[in-house]
Amino acid sequence: MSVYRAEYIWIDGTEPTKKLRSKTKIVPKGEEPPIWAFDGSSTQQATGDRSDCVLQPVHVVLDPIRGGDDKLVLCEVMLVSGEPHPTNTRRACVEASKRYGDFDSWFGIEQEYTFFKGARPLGFPDGGFPAPQGGYYCGVGADEVFGREVVEAHLDDCLKAGLRISGINAEVMPGQWEFQVGPLNAPDIGDQLWLARWLLYRAGEAFGIAATLYPKPVRGDWNGAGAHTNFSTRQMRESYEPILAAIEALKGRHSLHIENYGFGIEERLTGLHETASYKEFTFGVSHRGASVRIPWQVAKDRKGYIEDRRPNANMDPYVVSRLIMETVCGAATAGSKPRQMAAATA
Ligand code: ADP
Ligand code: MN
Ligand code: MN
Ligand code: MN
């Protein structure tokens, strides 16, 4: 049969943290995946009496699971009027990316996540706790590593789909892992991260293991899960001054960023477990207890990028990348205005 399977993937309206949804459309070979629709009353995106929401394809990759000519089709959710749906955060990200296009912003996101088997994190015995943290980070061996079969299947799928995965590692808490996407411009970074998340959940199905983005999956002396967001503009990649200016701009809008960096951020950003307290903004070279870290190589080269360590694992990369552009590029744009203009608006 000359058709292919297109898996339409979209982001729903679940509060406080949106979820991924998908369904399959059979498309004639040689044709692009068309606009489609779904029942928004089942995804917290519409009421039953006006339930139709529209799926607008925006980012298509090969489907590494089905293979052949089959595709994964990431979509924006639209209203039937043609306007972006209120839950569509990608559109504003696209606009910010255009507005600050001259900066050529790059993002590299470290997505941490935690596997669950039933109600317990993978590697946690039913009635108690595993040995304390210390040996699990980048560990090896059946006593330290839990879920590598899923991690490897996921990495394979991401590479086959052509996603810009830059690495993976086992994390500090057992059953916790990380993959990195980027560096990429926005909204590509968001598209690829959402697709990689979908592939992660999908890979877990075959093993009966659920991947989660809970920011603090286990209370107590166990690391939370974040999504460190590494960021640079063309100017930051060329010299040090713009790096310090970017940090200054982020400092000035700390609470706005914290409010938009993922639900439950106060539970994770305690000031312990390689985090800075959400209550204050700090930065430092090589400092993993700071809100923003300047990697040692960057301090040495006097150019490069910064790491915003604040975002939660469950953050929306369209929101986080948009905010960083608005804050950093917005401040740089305002700062470069001619003096008489600044005076005229004062
Ligand atoms: P960490 O030491 O914090 O664990 P990782 O190696 O996990 O760092 O992740 C670093 C991330 O930084 C990668 O996703 C990489 O793509 C990204 N990155 C590297 N250079 C840049 C840059 N100039 N701008 C933005 N992101 C970058
Ligand atoms: Mn990392
Ligand atoms: Mn990490
Ligand atoms: Mn990091």
Side-chain angles (χ1 to χ4, degrees):
M1 241 198 328
S2 56
V3 296
Y4 68 93
R5 286 167 288 194
E7 190 71 10
Y8 279 61
I9 299 171
W10 74 97
I11 299 151
D12 76 1
T14 302
E15 289 290 345
T17 301
K18 295 177 182 127
K19 280 164 24 86
L20 283 164
R21 308 271 180 154
S22 76
K23 59 175 184 164
T24 309
K25 185 174 187 62
I26 307 302
V27 183
K29 245 178 213 165
E31 286 183 19
E32 295 296 313
I35 284 175
W36 202 17
F38 68 97
D39 166 17
S41 71
S42 300
T43 63
Q44 281 76 54
Q45 282 164 307
T47 51
D49 54 335
R50 300 171 68 185
S51 66
D52 282 337
C53 290
V54 175
L55 292 172
Q56 170 71 60
V58 290
H59 197 117
V60 181
V61 299
L62 290 175
D63 182 341
I65 295 166
R66 287 174 169 150
D69 291 322
D70 294 333
K71 305 260 165 41
L72 301 181
V73 181
L74 184 73
C75 298
E76 273 188 31
V77 177
M78 311 297 287
L79 300 168
V80 289
S81 66
E83 294 292 303
H85 192 277
T87 59
N88 176 344
T89 54
R90 186 179 186 274
R91 193 48 71 94
C93 178
V94 170
E95 275 155 24
S97 189
K98 277 190 198 142
R99 188 173 334 127
Y100 300 116
D102 288 350
F103 289 84
D104 190 20
S105 298
W106 293 1
F107 297 89
I109 297 181
E110 306 166 50
Q111 176 70 69
E112 293 178 342
Y113 59 93
T114 309
F115 286 134
F116 271 71
K117 185 103 185 170
R120 302 285 283 166
L122 196 65
F124 278 56
D126 271 341
F129 289 89
Q133 294 184 161
Y136 304 107
Y137 171 75
C138 296
V140 62
D143 53 337
E144 293 186 348
V145 161
F146 308 93
R148 198 190 292 277
E149 61 282 14
V150 189
V151 173
E152 290 294 325
H154 174 247
L155 177 59
D156 223 45
D157 291 342
C158 287
L159 294 174
K160 280 189 194 142
L163 300 184
R164 182 91 56 87
I165 297 290
S166 64
I168 58 171
N169 59 268
E171 270 302 339
V172 174
M173 188 184 104
Q176 206 166 65
W177 294 81
E178 167 180 316
F179 65 84
Q180 301 109 31
V181 189
L184 288 163
N185 296 132
D188 274 15
I189 186 67
D191 292 351
Q192 292 212 15
L193 188 65
W194 279 112
L195 282 166
R197 285 173 173 177
W198 189 88
L199 283 169
L200 179 64
Y201 303 135
R202 181 66 185 77
E205 286 180 9
F207 301 92
I209 292 174
T212 72
L213 304 185
Y214 301 133
K216 192 75 183 178
V218 187
R219 297 234 163 116
D221 211 8
W222 303 95
N223 272 33
H228 300 165
T229 300
N230 300 272
F231 169 75
S232 64
T233 60
R234 184 169 44 76
Q235 294 81 351
M236 291 161 69
R237 293 188 292 274
E238 287 166 1
S239 63
Y240 208 60
E241 256 321 297
I243 288 181
L244 298 176
I247 291 172
E248 204 50 38
L250 289 169
K251 183 178 177 190
R253 302 221 296 174
H254 179 59
S255 47
L256 177 69
H257 284 249
I258 288 289
E259 282 158 25
N260 289 282
Y261 274 10
F263 181 75
I265 199 160
E266 305 83 1
E267 285 181 48
R268 177 177 145 261
L269 297 187
T270 56
L272 300 171
H273 305 112
E274 304 180 50
T275 71
S277 166
Y278 70 93
K279 291 178 187 158
E280 59 171 349
F281 181 93
T282 56
F283 73 95
V285 175
S286 295
H287 199 328
R288 283 171 200 272
S291 316
V292 169
R293 175 175 66 104
I294 302 175
W296 70 270
Q297 184 79 51
V298 174
K300 182 165 169 280
D301 295 347
R302 313 285 300 165
K303 62 181 179 181
Y305 64 99
I306 54 174
E307 177 193 43
D308 189 342
R309 300 176 59 80
R310 296 170 294 174
N312 264 1
N314 60 353
M315 59 82 138
D316 178 345
Y318 296 134
V319 173
V320 169
S321 61
R322 171 182 59 78
L323 264 176
I324 292 177
M325 286 187 287
E326 287 175 355
T327 297
V328 173
C329 307
T333 308
S336 67
K337 265 188 202 148
R339 268 195 173 283
Q340 61 269 34
M341 262 186 73
T345 53

